[in-house]
Amino acid sequence: MKGKLIRVCVVANDAAETMRDFNDLFGVEFYGPFDDEHVKLKVALHRSGGMEVSSPTAADDPIGFSQYLAANGEGIKGIALRVDNIQEAMDELKSKGVEIGVYFEHNLMKECIIPPQPKTHNIEVALNEFPDEDPVGQAVARDMGIDLYA
C-alpha cells in the first residue's frame, strides 16, 4: 500500500464557528459545514484540500469525536491518506494487525477510519479512495446536496 497525505482533521466544538474563524484569521475558504449523518458529525472541508474541521452532532458518534473533545479539547485529531484501492489497503493493514474502524462512502469517495492505536502511534488515520476528477471535498459537498458552482 502507498498512501498520499491529503488532509489533517481538526476536531472542534463547533465546525461552523471554527470555519468562520479560520476564514477571518487566515482567509481559508471551506465547503460546508455539512451534516454527515453517516458518522454523526458536522464537517467543513477546505476548498483546496489540506484541512477538515469536524464537530460531533451526537454523544455517540461512531468515530468517537465527542469522547475525544471531552478528554482533550479542540485540536488536530488525525490525518487522511489517499490510496488507490481502499479494500486492498484495509486487507493489508488487517494482515499487519491494524484495527479497522468505520467504513462509509460519499458518492465516488470511499473512506475508512482507523482508530488511534499503538500501531499508528495513537494517530487516527482515514483512508480515502476517490477518482482524480472528484476530490474528497467535492465528493462530500455533492453528497450533502451543495451546489459547487453557486
Side-chain angles (χ1 to χ4, degrees), residues 78-148:
I79 62 172
L81 301 173
R82 180 180 181 187
V83 297
D84 291 332
N85 185 309
I86 199 165
Q87 188 59 56
E88 287 178 8
M90 290 188 308
D91 291 345
E92 180 180 333
L93 290 168
K94 282 181 197 175
S95 76
K96 293 178 178 179
V98 174
E99 174 192 345
I100 303 298
V102 179
Y103 173 85
F104 53 97
E105 296 181 10
H106 281 292
N107 246 331
L108 300 176
M109 185 195 73
K110 300 173 183 175
E111 184 163 29
C112 172
I113 306 296
I114 298 167
Q117 55 198 281
K119 290 263 186 192
T120 65
H121 295 268
N122 294 317
I123 296 171
E124 178 183 280
V125 179
L127 300 179
N128 292 161
E129 175 191 328
F130 55 90
D132 285 339
E133 66 276 5
D134 198 15
V136 65
Q138 293 175 16
V140 174
R142 273 196 293 283
D143 198 34
M144 299 297 163
I146 302 302
D147 180 359
L148 298 176

Side-chain angles (χ1 to χ4, degrees), residues 11-12 14 18 28 32 38 40 51 56 67-68 78 89 97 102 105 111 113 119 126 144-145:
V11 65
D14 184 327
T18 304
V28 177
H38 293 98
K40 299 180 182 178
M51 183 176 174
Q67 294 83 358
Y68 181 88
V102 179
E105 296 181 10
E111 184 163 29
I113 306 296
K119 290 263 186 192
M144 299 297 163

Side-chain angles (χ1 to χ4, degrees), residues 10-21 30 32-34 41-44 53-56 74:
V10 174
V11 65
N13 291 313
D14 184 327
E17 178 184 5
T18 304
M19 180 181 79
R20 283 190 303 273
D21 288 346
F30 290 88
F34 312 109
L41 298 175
K42 279 207 178 289
V43 179
V53 177
S54 294
S55 59
E74 297 179 307

